Amino acid sequence: MKNLWSDKKAEATVRSLRRAGVPKPLADCVHASRLLGAHPKLVRHGGGNSSVKTRVSDLSGMSVEGLHVKASGHDLDGIGANGFAALDLAQLRRLEDLNVLSDTDMLAALTRAKLDPSQSPPSVETLLHAFLPAPYIFHSHANAVLAITNQPDGKAIAEKIYGGEVIVLPYAMSGFALAKRAAAAVRQSPAARGLIVMKHGVFTFGKTAKGAYGQMINLVSRAENRLRSGRKKNIFPAARITLGARQTDVAPVLRGALYRHMPGGAILDFRSNKAVQAFVNGRDLARYGQAGPVTPDHVIWTKAKPVVLNPDDDVGRAVDDYVTAYARQFQKSNGRRGPKMTMRDPAPRVALVPGSGLYGIGETAWSAAIAADLAETAIDVIASAERIGRFAPAPAADIFDIEYWPPELAKLSTAVPPPLAGHVVLVTGGGSGIGAATARAFRSAGAEVVVADQNVLAAESVTG
Ligand SMILES: [Zn+2]
């Protein structure tokens, strides 16, 4: 993975942020965060986070030790200083003395520690950033690290790659307990410059933003090198598929079937390329394709598993079977970590269609695109994992805990959709001129746009 850091560009960004009143350490953090966010193989769609510790003025003007940490649900890609929340670090660090802290109390403590109440809620991984001593901490769900750690013997592989330089912790959901465990591990290995949480992602530390960013690229590159040594040539041996189902045959039936479980209707986002084809046409698709998410962070967008629509399947029945299985898993796991939850809509968010491709499913084109993007990320991770071994994600019960963890669910409501998401706009004469510009403007504001024009090619060039 290429290190994109340039001192010249960093200085220019920091200068312009400082002119807008952003303190230097936060400006450095913003710049490095944007670089992390620019790489889809590191983070996507609100994934990952970053922080810097520095002195901050509280509302009374008194200087206190502060933590600027990414706000929950914000994308690192293109993030600004307003994508961070400033918190009273001493207040957060005192929590480490507690033995237990419920999720509700943790969220209340994070809210209380905010130095500016008007800022967005901080990341669900804030306590980990607070308890670790390094000034700069960056976190990603790098594809290569996920491919290494979603293995039955992933811990041993990771330890072999990194030696004592990186702490490797078993999978645990984010929050207070993981933050405490991470802090204890760092105290035991103070020279460590990174921390991996199995089947979740990687944290890097540094005295400077440049150092912590460089260490992220370094650790990910070493995981990539290890994956390249995988010898398997044919990762997904193909099943015998004679004729792929056509989009025009599948999509309307799938939308109809989904409508029974998504009363607001479903928008589909179709993807197909060489990597997607190899994945969905694989003989063992039912094993690797429905094992679980590559990182728990995806699950609120993709659900734990996709639905598979084989060529001879009745699409309606396949969706209904998925819904029944989802409800069964919900009944089994509900209440195991705390109060009983209400079931989310049980419809799938990703459909895999052998011989054709995949569909991201959402209430809007925006959320359907996120589901499709994350499905493509999962394919990349699973292909790499299968190249060196066998994809083995976190157990279903752990994934349920994340899907129904209140701080994760809050992301769905705080993730800000574009202003016209969920709206459908028909533009007549939209193939050129003002019509085309209007269609593009609606599209960039998040609307679903249908372009009508006498010139079909021109219309397609606008929507394509
Ligand atoms: Zn994470």
Side-chain angles (χ1 to χ4, degrees):
M1 179 167 283
K2 203 170 162 211
N3 187 322
L4 300 174
W5 189 277
S6 133
D7 285 335
K8 225 169 137 186
K9 282 189 187 148
E11 277 162 30
T13 311
V14 169
R15 212 178 305 126
S16 84
L17 286 165
R18 296 219 63 194
R19 270 201 295 272
V22 178
K24 166 90 166 64
L26 177 57
D28 284 340
C29 184
V30 167
H31 179 68
S33 302
R34 287 177 183 170
L35 292 183
L36 292 173
H39 212 306
K41 291 204 176 204
L42 284 179
V43 289
R44 294 193 97 165
H45 298 303
N49 42 58
S50 52
S51 72
V52 57
K53 300 178 181 77
T54 181
R55 295 209 71 84
V56 188
S57 291
D58 70 7
L59 284 178
S60 69
M62 204 172 82
S63 168
V64 297
E65 238 194 314
L67 173 76
H68 294 282
V69 64
K70 194 199 82 165
S72 189
H74 280 252
D75 281 339
L76 286 173
D77 189 14
I79 198 166
N82 60 359
F84 288 79
L87 293 103
D88 183 330
L89 185 57
Q91 211 174 309
L92 295 177
R93 280 187 167 152
R94 279 198 294 276
L95 298 172
E96 207 196 329
D97 296 336
L98 299 174
N99 289 323
V100 280
L101 182 68
S102 71
D103 295 336
T104 318
D105 287 346
M106 180 184 81
L107 290 179
L110 294 184
T111 304
R112 264 199 307 273
K114 274 164 65 175
L115 290 166
D116 178 350
S118 69
Q119 289 179 329
S120 305
S123 159
V124 298
E125 275 145 358
T126 293
L127 289 185
L128 195 146
H129 288 262
F131 293 174
L132 299 190
Y136 288 87
I137 297 178
F138 296 149
H139 170 47
S140 81
H141 305 138
N143 289 15
V145 173
L146 293 177
I148 296 285
T149 60
N150 277 296
Q151 297 278 340
D153 56 348
K155 190 167 191 293
I157 303 174
E159 284 169 348
K160 199 165 168 205
I161 297 171
Y162 300 116
E165 193 182 331
V166 174
I167 295 161
V168 182
L169 293 182
Y171 174 81
M173 69 186 278
S174 299
F176 176 71
L178 177 63
K180 267 193 83 139
R181 202 175 306 164
V186 168
R187 265 195 295 275
Q188 260 186 8
S189 313
R193 291 193 58 216
L195 181 147
I196 283 174
V197 179
M198 294 288 295
K199 306 175 195 290
H200 173 162
V202 52
F203 294 81
T204 55
F205 324 134
K207 287 195 177 76
T208 62
K210 182 181 178 179
Y213 168 79
Q215 179 66 349
M216 179 67 74
I217 303 302
N218 170 18
L219 297 187
V220 173
S221 299
R222 282 150 72 184
E224 286 176 338
N225 287 342
R226 171 65 182 85
L227 292 170
R228 268 193 285 273
S229 73
R231 286 167 198 283
K232 215 183 280 177
K233 285 276 179 294
N234 187 3
I235 302 170
F236 301 123
R240 278 189 205 178
I241 295 163
T242 44
L243 187 66
R246 289 190 313 196
Q247 269 185 78
T248 44
D249 293 333
V250 174
V253 184
L254 178 57
R255 287 189 75 202
L258 290 165
Y259 189 74
R260 290 203 287 274
H261 311 288
M262 297 171 73
I267 305 278
L268 305 179
D269 190 326
F270 180 72
R271 306 284 171 93
S272 189
N273 56 38
K274 243 172 111 179
V276 172
Q277 287 282 339
F279 187 86
V280 297
N281 293 345
R283 205 170 49 203
D284 297 334
L285 177 64
R287 172 182 64 79
Y288 59 73
Q290 291 186 297
V294 297
T295 178
D297 199 60
H298 289 186
V299 79
I300 51 166
W301 299 107
T302 61
K303 297 268 173 79
K305 295 174 185 185
V307 63
V308 174
L309 305 174
N310 286 303
D312 298 329
D313 281 353
D314 175 321
V315 172
R317 186 171 306 153
V319 169
D320 289 348
D321 287 350
Y322 179 97
V323 163
T324 307
Y326 181 91
R328 203 180 305 128
Q329 178 67 38
F330 176 83
Q331 296 303 345
K332 208 168 102 185
S333 307
N334 192 17
R336 78 179 207 125
R337 272 195 96 248
K340 294 264 186 195
M341 310 293 290
T342 307
M343 191 169 80
R344 301 171 65 200
D345 92 53
R349 288 298 184 272
V350 176
L352 304 177
V353 188
S356 177
L358 71 83
Y359 294 89
I361 299 165
E363 295 88 347
T364 62
W366 175 74
S367 54
I370 293 179
D373 283 348
L374 297 180
E376 287 200 64
T377 292
I379 287 175
D380 185 66
V381 171
I382 295 169
S384 299
E386 293 273 320
R387 183 179 299 131
I388 62 160
R390 185 168 61 81
F391 175 58
D398 289 328
I399 296 304
F400 171 88
D401 291 345
I402 281 288
E403 187 180 349
Y404 282 90
W405 193 37
E408 278 293 315
L409 286 174
K411 279 187 193 169
L412 288 176
S413 46
T414 56
V416 189
L420 293 181
H423 291 72
V424 178
V425 176
L426 172 67
V427 183
T428 53
S432 61
I434 294 173
T438 306
R440 288 197 184 99
F442 274 112
R443 190 77 204 94
S444 64
E448 272 68 271
V449 180
V450 180
V451 175
D453 200 286
Q454 288 181 336
N455 184 339
V456 176
L457 286 179
E460 280 177 356
S461 76
V462 174
T463 53

